[in-house]
Amino acid sequence: MKIQKAAVIGAGVMGAAIAAQLANAGIPVMLLDIVLPDNPDRNFLAKQGIQRALKARPAAFMDRGRAALITPGNLEDDLAKLKDADWVLEAIIEKLDAKRSLWERVEKVAKKTAIISSNSSGIPMHLQIEGRGEDFQRRFVGAHFFNPPRYLHLLEVIPTPKTDPKVVETFSEFAETTLGKGVASANDVPGFVANRIGVYGIIRAMQHMRAAGLTPAQVDQLTGPVLGRANSATFRTADLSGLDIIYHVANDIGKVTPDDEDFSLTATFRTLVEDRKMLGDKTGSGFYKKTKDEKGKTKILNLNLESMEYEDQGRVKVDAVEAVKGKPLAERVKTLYTAEGKEGDFLRGVMNDGFWYAAKMAGNVSNRLQDIDNALKWGFGWEQGPFETMDALGVQTVIANLEKEGRTLPPLLQSMKDSGRERFYEGEETVTPEGQPTKYEAPYFILADLKKDASKVVKKRGGASVVDLGDGVLLVEWHAKMNALGEDQLRAVQDGHKLVQEMGYAGLVLGNQGENFSAGANLPLVLSQAQADEWDELDDSIKQFQQVTTSLRFSPHPTVAAPFGLALGGGAEFTLHADHVVASAELYMGLVEVGVGLIPGGGGTKEMLLRFTDQLHPSQQIGATMLPAVQRAFELIGTAKTSTSALEARNLGFLRDTDTIAMNKNHIIMEAKRQVLALAPGYVQPIPRQDIPVMGDAAIAALKSALYGMHQGGFITDYDLVVSHELGRVLSGGTGNNRTAKVSEQHLLDLERESFLTLLGKKGTQQRIDHMLKTGKPLRN
């Protein structure tokens, strides 16, 4: 069955956030909670949950307007309305009796085809539905979201022995495609996958920390990004999750696990929770505490575990971390795993604990190794799961270290030792929890796997490649740091166009599976050329850049861009010129050049003017009635407005109504390929426009008047005024034009290039670029 309507029961932090994610996906959802005695608003708690989600930071909604898809209600007046829901999810208090009581009521009113789920993080699913009818149990499957649901990719899907496999399949497909989640199949055991292994790792890190004489801040340096894990590392993650949550999960799992699975909490941790009620961010203090200095700037204080007082320890440096900075992840992990001294001893202890426990849990928490790896990656923000990390180190090396510590190998590792196998994942093969070879099935299209077949890489440059996606579609993949746009990236696009024509392909996709689509131009190169007075070279470079960005619009074959993450500056300009866009829902797109004292020079200024002018009625595309379109483009570019989601990018005008938004970024390249194949039959090459209406001097005068008022009011700086005048000149079509003039696209591109070069030659712009490169922040000069 298809899930078109949903209901969430429980409007607390988690329930409301899940309802918001459903609304983000365009699913109408009822949000129900109890009726508060003596409160005249019987839907108060549900409405409060919606308001909490609207105020959440980071934002729970991708577009605040999506909140209208959530209908508040209560469990007394509206329970019968569950008959309209295709999926019912509970997110109520973590008490077994409460959940059983709720399911008894839900069974009486829910439609007989509805999927029923619990978001419980620890109460076994099969216990919740004892006493329910066979049909109800057949349609019941655990659905454990991680908080915040919009940003943490993981959804653990937990069938019971009674769950119909078709229900699991239907729900998993809905979760992955419609909700955009990464689905990990979990067994119905305490802690499921991510919490069982992740919390074990946190607790063991605390125990090893005391033995090594390290501080929480030092441990977070050692167990964070340097190991390919989240910035929050160990203790910051505990603060974010809530020390009470860690406390209860550890105690609950500890009660039902064998003696060798050490979930015992340190005395310090128990003191923080039991005696001091210092529970992390929710109480304002845990292992860290936020405070303000005398200037009102936020400072982070560190807890001294000896004195139990907070201290300003400044920037904490760890020698082992400093020694591997800037090196690839695999090299960092290998170096740290073999490091000497207390830092190396700590890391080996923590990593070996994690390896041993993940291997022991294989077949227990999940029946597939990749589900365990994915759960840790998607739920805790790791770049590599435990089995992938062991592969990087060499499985036999890890086994030897575990045996050196006197550990008994779990069956999986014993089997690996006996076979001499060095990796868990090898090509299209992995192993079962028993260590037997089995076919590896990736959860989605992985570009790196495709490229293992060398014949698929049709053309390769240092920072970009052209890859054959099959079925007559080529992909231009950028793979430089932050995908900053330089010569390799531009030439790869030209390579792609040429190969499509020479080899008879259907069309071209522009996308990648890096951290971001593209963060924009190569600023260090631009600045160095300007400071060396290489103006002819810069002029040629900008001309080439414009030719390549606009080639996505004016090629003889269809082009589809697949942006995600950051699509800034030049990255946005490439996206704007594609025939179609398949955007990840989490898209941070903007023309941000004014932050470094420039304006968009690759057709972005031209494109936004065209888009907003075209939205006017033909009768308004002349004279003063055009001014709102010019002002809209001027404000969007002049304030460097960046979307916080693809839905907002559409509202801002960066995406068209016809462009595709995919909730799951892992699907965008394959969807872009489908769009190319849909556009290819009968595709007609567009030609540049010659009749674009502009306002000329009239618009310049209106914009200057507004800028004068903003400058006088202190809203913009002296140099903001300089940059804004150049932006206004381009959007007006240049000086000397009357309000009924019409110009070509090339005319606007020439104006862009002139203004870009003019600003680049000014000291104020060069100061802004230099400041951005040194601090990562804009200079307000």
Side-chain angles (χ1 to χ4, degrees):
M1 66 166 294
K2 190 173 182 180
I3 298 176
Q4 296 178 306
K5 294 181 180 180
V8 175
I9 302 174
V13 172
M14 199 65 187
I18 293 170
Q21 183 65 4
L22 280 159
N24 288 335
I27 303 293
V29 55
M30 290 184 290
L31 182 60
L32 308 182
D33 212 312
I34 62 172
V35 176
L36 287 180
D38 304 323
N39 191 313
D41 187 349
R42 294 174 64 81
N43 297 336
F44 174 78
L45 288 177
K47 291 178 180 177
Q48 184 184 58
I50 297 169
Q51 289 303 310
R52 186 188 301 110
L54 282 165
K55 294 175 183 176
R57 292 294 177 271
F61 288 100
M62 295 177 180
D63 176 357
R64 292 176 65 86
R66 290 292 170 108
L69 287 171
I70 304 177
T71 302
N74 67 77
L75 286 168
E76 292 183 18
D77 305 325
D78 303 307
L79 190 67
K81 294 179 182 178
L82 293 182
K83 65 181 175 58
D84 298 322
D86 303 308
W87 177 38
V88 179
L89 171 79
E90 71 80 16
I92 65 171
I93 190 170
E94 285 285 81
K95 291 186 177 179
L96 179 57
D97 289 346
K99 294 182 188 294
R100 281 178 169 171
S101 176
L102 174 66
W103 294 137
E104 183 178 5
R105 298 175 65 191
V106 168
E107 185 178 17
K108 295 175 181 176
V109 295
K111 67 164 67 173
K112 299 304 180 185
T113 55
I115 295 174
I116 313 295
S117 298
S118 169
N119 180 59
S120 175
S121 61
I123 298 177
M125 299 299 163
H126 67 278
L127 295 180
Q128 297 185 39
I129 54 174
E130 285 183 353
R132 304 277 58 79
E134 287 292 323
D135 184 62
F136 187 91
Q137 294 188 22
R138 183 182 60 80
R139 293 180 285 113
F140 188 92
V141 60
H144 180 216
F145 288 81
F146 275 61
N147 194 32
R150 174 182 169 184
Y151 299 98
L152 284 184
H153 193 50
L154 178 62
L155 176 66
E156 291 178 323
V157 173
I158 310 133
T160 74
K162 298 289 185 69
T163 308
D164 186 336
K166 289 183 179 179
V167 169
V168 178
E169 181 182 351
T170 298
F171 179 71
S172 296
E173 182 179 355
F174 165 78
E176 183 175 349
T177 303
T178 304
L179 296 185
K181 308 308 293 181
V183 173
S185 180
N187 293 335
D188 193 13
V189 297
F192 310 128
V193 181
N195 277 341
R196 180 71 171 266
I197 296 174
V199 171
Y200 179 82
I202 290 174
I203 291 167
R204 296 299 297 162
M206 293 177 184
Q207 294 170 348
H208 284 290
M209 174 187 68
R210 296 311 297 263
L214 297 171
T215 67
Q218 289 172 325
V219 168
D220 278 353
Q221 286 288 310
L222 288 163
T223 59
V226 71
L227 279 187
R229 299 185 183 180
N231 285 323
S232 53
T234 298
F235 291 97
R236 184 76 187 107
T237 294
D239 275 0
L240 288 167
S241 302
L243 304 193
D244 55 332
I245 301 298
I246 303 292
Y247 177 91
H248 290 301
V249 170
N251 283 336
D252 290 345
I253 296 176
K255 292 174 183 175
V256 295
T257 54
D259 293 339
D260 62 344
E261 296 179 26
D262 189 358
F263 276 87
S264 59
L265 296 162
T266 63
T268 301
F269 192 91
R270 290 189 175 278
T271 297
L272 288 175
V273 175
E274 296 172 355
D275 301 335
R276 297 184 175 237
K277 309 301 180 187
M278 294 160 60
L279 308 180
D281 283 14
K282 66 178 68 178
T283 59
S285 60
F287 289 101
Y288 300 96
K289 181 179 181 179
K290 286 184 181 179
T291 186
K292 302 277 187 182
D293 62 17
E294 60 276 4
K295 296 181 180 179
K297 187 177 180 180
T298 300
K299 291 178 64 176
I300 305 294
L301 301 181
N302 301 8
L303 181 65
N304 184 318
L305 298 183
E306 300 302 324
S307 66
M308 296 300 285
E309 299 292 333
Y310 289 98
E311 300 174 352
D312 183 359
Q313 297 178 0
R315 184 175 172 227
V316 176
K317 286 190 176 183
V318 176
D319 291 341
V321 174
E322 296 296 317
V324 297
K325 273 191 173 178
K327 295 181 179 179
L329 177 59
E331 187 176 345
R332 297 199 306 268
V333 171
K334 286 182 179 179
T335 301
L336 291 168
Y337 189 64
T338 57
E340 300 293 333
K342 65 179 183 180
E343 294 164 359
D345 292 341
F346 166 81
L347 273 175
R348 264 187 305 282
V350 170
M351 293 172 74
N352 284 340
D353 278 348
F355 297 150
W356 174 83
Y357 196 60
K360 181 178 180 180
M361 288 298 100
N364 183 339
V365 297
S366 181
N367 298 325
R368 300 192 308 176
L369 270 57
Q370 56 263 42
D371 282 320
I372 295 176
D373 276 340
N374 287 334
L376 273 298
K377 290 192 291 186
W378 297 338
F380 281 81
W382 294 11
E383 287 185 49
Q384 294 180 330
F387 298 107
E388 292 168 326
T389 305
M390 282 189 269
D391 276 359
L393 292 170
V395 174
Q396 298 304 324
T397 298
V398 172
I399 289 172
N401 275 310
L402 291 174
E403 290 187 317
K404 190 184 297 183
E405 293 180 357
R407 297 176 186 258
T408 300
L409 296 179
L412 172 58
L413 292 182
Q414 184 62 54
S415 176
M416 295 292 284
K417 179 184 177 182
D418 294 341
S419 68
R421 189 176 175 121
E422 195 62 47
R423 298 176 60 85
F424 291 105
Y425 302 100
E426 194 70 59
E428 296 183 355
E429 188 179 85
T430 183
V431 295
T432 66
E434 296 75 34
Q436 298 304 308
T438 185
K439 184 176 174 59
Y440 171 71
E441 294 181 7
Y444 50 83
F445 167 74
I446 298 175
L447 184 55
D449 287 350
L450 177 69
K451 290 164 60 180
K452 289 176 182 176
D453 179 351
S455 68
K456 295 296 184 181
V457 182
V458 185
K459 182 87 173 182
K460 185 173 178 62
R461 296 180 180 272
S465 300
V466 180
V467 182
D468 187 344
L469 292 178
D471 301 317
V473 179
L474 289 182
L475 168 76
V476 173
E477 176 203 14
W478 296 330
H479 43 70
K481 183 178 181 181
M482 296 294 288
N483 282 328
L485 299 174
E487 185 175 357
D488 277 354
Q489 288 69 42
L490 301 188
R491 291 196 178 279
V493 175
Q494 294 172 320
D495 293 338
H497 286 310
K498 184 179 179 182
L499 288 164
V500 167
Q501 291 305 303
E502 289 180 350
M503 301 171 68
Y505 279 80
L508 196 66
V509 171
L510 182 62
N512 63 83
Q513 289 185 331
E515 291 186 17
N516 294 288
F517 179 71
S518 173
N522 187 335
L523 286 178
L525 177 61
V526 170
L527 179 61
S528 66
Q529 287 183 298
Q531 291 174 336
D533 290 328
E534 296 176 356
W535 298 109
D536 289 341
E537 291 86 347
L538 278 165
D539 188 39
D540 288 341
S541 294
I542 300 167
K543 284 180 181 177
Q544 182 194 24
F545 186 60
Q546 290 180 340
Q547 290 168 359
V548 178
T549 56
T550 57
S551 72
L552 267 69
R553 174 74 45 79
F554 303 117
S555 63
H557 47 261
T559 62
V560 177
F564 63 96
L566 298 180
L568 303 178
E573 290 176 302
F574 270 105
T575 301
L576 290 169
H577 285 94
D579 289 314
H580 188 82
V581 177
V582 178
S584 165
E586 296 295 346
L587 177 65
Y588 303 87
M589 183 174 177
L591 296 167
V592 296
E593 287 84 352
V594 296
V596 289
L598 295 167
I599 68 165
T605 309
K606 174 265 300 182
E607 191 63 22
M608 298 320 298
L609 177 65
L610 280 177
R611 290 194 177 196
F612 297 151
T613 302
D614 286 348
Q615 289 176 13
L616 299 174
H617 188 273
S619 64
Q620 297 175 307
Q621 294 177 359
I622 187 170
T625 53
M626 271 183 59
L627 187 59
V630 177
Q631 289 173 323
R632 184 180 173 191
F634 183 81
E635 181 182 354
L636 182 71
I637 300 170
T639 59
K641 182 68 175 177
T642 302
S643 70
T644 58
S645 71
L647 294 175
E648 188 179 10
R650 178 178 281 167
N651 293 338
L652 291 172
F654 292 132
L655 297 181
R656 298 156 293 201
D657 289 343
T658 53
D659 288 330
T660 302
I661 296 176
M663 289 294 287
N664 195 326
K665 79 171 186 178
N666 296 321
H667 293 180
I668 61 175
I669 288 181
M670 284 296 98
E671 178 58 30
K673 173 184 169 180
R674 284 191 285 270
Q675 292 293 335
V676 166
L677 294 172
L679 289 168
Y683 182 81
V684 178
Q685 179 177 354
I687 57 174
R689 290 171 56 175
Q690 307 295 323
D691 60 346
I692 301 164
V694 293
M695 287 185 64
D697 293 335
I700 292 175
L703 294 174
K704 280 187 175 181
S705 176
L707 287 169
Y708 176 79
M710 294 174 69
H711 186 251
Q712 289 296 105
F715 296 105
I716 60 174
T717 67
D718 291 347
Y719 202 70
D720 287 336
L721 199 61
V722 173
V723 178
S724 297
H725 280 160
E726 289 297 328
L727 176 61
R729 186 174 76 89
V730 177
L731 289 171
S732 302
T735 57
N737 286 315
N738 62 39
R739 64 180 62 203
T740 61
K742 292 190 176 183
V743 300
S744 67
E745 286 194 52
Q746 188 57 52
H747 175 78
L748 292 175
L749 288 169
D750 290 342
L751 287 176
E752 276 190 28
R753 190 177 75 257
E754 291 169 11
S755 289
F756 189 96
L757 288 169
T758 296
L759 289 169
L760 190 55
K762 294 183 181 295
K763 182 179 179 181
T765 290
Q766 293 183 19
Q767 288 174 334
R768 285 193 175 190
I769 295 175
D770 186 60
H771 189 267
M772 178 65 75
L773 291 174
K774 288 179 178 177
T775 69
K777 298 177 182 178
L779 174 67
R780 297 300 307 279
N781 54 346

